Amino acid sequence: MTIPYNSSLQKATFFLTGFQGLEDFHGWISIPFCSIYLTVIIGNLTILHVIRTDATLHEPMYYFLAMLAFTDLGLCLSSLPTVLGIFWFDAREIGIPACFTQLFFIHTLSLVESSVLLSMSIDRYVAICNPLRYSTILTPAHIVKMGLSSVLRSALLILPLPFLLKRFQYCRSHVLAHAYCLHLEIMKLACSSITVNHIYGLFVVACTVGVDSLLIFLSYALILRTVLSIASRHERLRALNTCVSHICAVLLFYIPMIGLSLVHRFGEHLPRIVHLLMSYVYLLVPPLMNPIVYSIKTKQIRQRIVKKFEFIKTLRCFQQD
C-alpha cells in the first residue's frame, strides 16, 4: 500500500506497517495474533487472581510472580491497539505523541521485566543459600521497595527518550517497519545526527539489562555452589527444581532479546519477514509463555488453578440440578 505525501500530515504522523505484500491476508493473519493476545490476557489474569485469592500463596516468591504477570500484561496491552488496528482496520497512522507514549511504555515495561527477573533470582538465592533468614530478609516492605525501585529505575531511564526524539526533524520517510513504535527505529528516520541517542540507548541497556543479567548469572552461580554442597541427591534435585520455572522465564526473556539484537546488527541481508517475526517473538513470547511455564512447573500454582476450574465445574453442575 502506498502512502500519499502530505507535508502537513507527515510532520505530525508516523505510519505503522503490518506484513507488507500480505495486506489482503491481514484478516487471516489477525487470527493467530488475537489468539496470542487473548491467551496472554487470560493466562496472566489467572495467575494474578489465583495469587490474590489464595492466602497460602501470599509469599515472596508468588508476589514476584504477580509482578511478572502484571508486567507481561502491561507489555501485551501496550502493543495490542496498534497491532490489531492494522490487521482489522488498516489503521496505519499514529500521531507522534501517541507513538512516543507507546514507545515509553513498551521500553519501560521491558526494563521492568528484567528487574523483576533479577528480584526473582534474589528470592531463589535467599531461599536456597540462606533459608533460615528468608522471611526476615524478604519482608513485604522489602518486596514493595524492590518492586517500586524496579518501576522507578526503568521509567526514569526511559523518560528522556521521547524528549531526545522530539528534538529531531524527520525529513525522511515516516514509515516504521513494525506495527508499534520503538526508539531504535524512530531515531533512524531523523535527518540529523543521532549519536546522543545511540550513546544514551547503549547506556540504558548496559545499566539495566546488562547489570541485571550479570547479577542473575552470579546469583545462580552461588545457588549452584550451595546446591552441590548438599549431601543428599534428593535434596539437591528438590532445591534445583524450585528454580526451573524462573530459569525458563529468564531464557524466554533474554534469548528473543539477543536474537532480535543480532538480527538488527548483522541481519541486513535477511528477508524482512525474519525481522518482523523476531520482533513479535521478542514482544509476545515471554508474556505468552511465562504463565504457561509457571502453571505447569510450579506445583502450588497448578493445584490452585485446577481447584478453581473444579469449583466452577461443580457450581455449574449444582445450578443445572
Side-chain angles (χ1 to χ4, degrees), residues 130-249:
N130 204 350
L132 296 179
R133 297 187 60 199
Y134 181 70
S135 59
T136 57
I137 293 174
L138 292 174
T139 62
H142 287 160
I143 293 169
V144 170
K145 288 177 182 177
M146 291 170 73
L148 289 176
S149 64
S150 297
V151 174
L152 285 174
R153 183 189 72 159
S154 304
L156 290 175
L157 285 171
I158 295 299
L159 188 60
L161 291 184
F163 296 99
L164 289 173
L165 292 171
K166 191 176 180 180
R167 64 194 177 94
F168 290 135
Q169 291 293 322
Y170 298 99
C171 54
R172 300 174 189 173
S173 167
H174 277 217
V175 180
L176 303 177
H178 301 101
Y180 48 87
C181 299
L182 297 174
H183 171 252
L184 180 63
E185 191 178 353
I186 294 173
M187 74 177 184
K188 288 181 178 179
L189 302 180
C191 46
S192 52
S193 173
I194 56 174
T195 304
V196 173
N197 289 62
H198 263 302
I199 293 173
Y200 185 73
L202 290 173
F203 166 75
V204 170
V205 171
C207 66
T208 53
V209 176
V211 171
D212 292 348
S213 58
L214 183 63
L215 292 175
I216 289 171
F217 177 80
L218 179 62
S219 68
Y220 272 102
L222 295 173
I223 287 171
L224 189 60
R225 187 183 69 175
T226 301
V227 168
L228 292 177
S229 67
I230 300 173
S232 168
R233 181 175 180 274
H234 173 73
E235 290 300 319
R236 287 201 300 268
L237 291 175
R238 182 181 175 186
L240 287 174
N241 191 52
T242 64
C243 301
V244 171
S245 298
H246 178 253
I247 292 172
C248 290

Side-chain angles (χ1 to χ4, degrees), residues 52-156:
R52 187 182 68 85
T53 56
D54 196 321
T56 62
L57 299 181
H58 293 177
E59 298 178 4
M61 175 182 174
Y62 302 108
Y63 288 144
F64 289 125
L65 177 56
M67 292 181 196
L68 183 66
F70 192 79
T71 304
D72 283 338
L73 195 60
L75 195 57
C76 163
L77 295 176
S78 297
S79 64
L80 184 148
T82 53
V83 172
L84 295 186
I86 286 178
F87 290 148
W88 288 348
F89 311 111
D90 197 31
R92 300 183 61 190
E93 295 180 21
I94 182 170
I96 288 180
C99 186
F100 287 176
T101 301
Q102 184 183 53
L103 172 153
F104 172 79
F105 280 105
I106 288 176
H107 287 300
T108 297
L109 290 169
S110 294
L111 297 188
V112 170
E113 180 143 353
S114 177
S115 298
V116 172
L117 290 173
L118 173 60
S119 298
M120 296 174 84
S121 73
I122 294 171
D123 168 78
R124 291 298 84 209
Y125 166 75
V126 175
I128 293 172
C129 300
N130 204 350
L132 296 179
R133 297 187 60 199
Y134 181 70
S135 59
T136 57
I137 293 174
L138 292 174
T139 62
H142 287 160
I143 293 169
V144 170
K145 288 177 182 177
M146 291 170 73
L148 289 176
S149 64
S150 297
V151 174
L152 285 174
R153 183 189 72 159
S154 304
L156 290 175

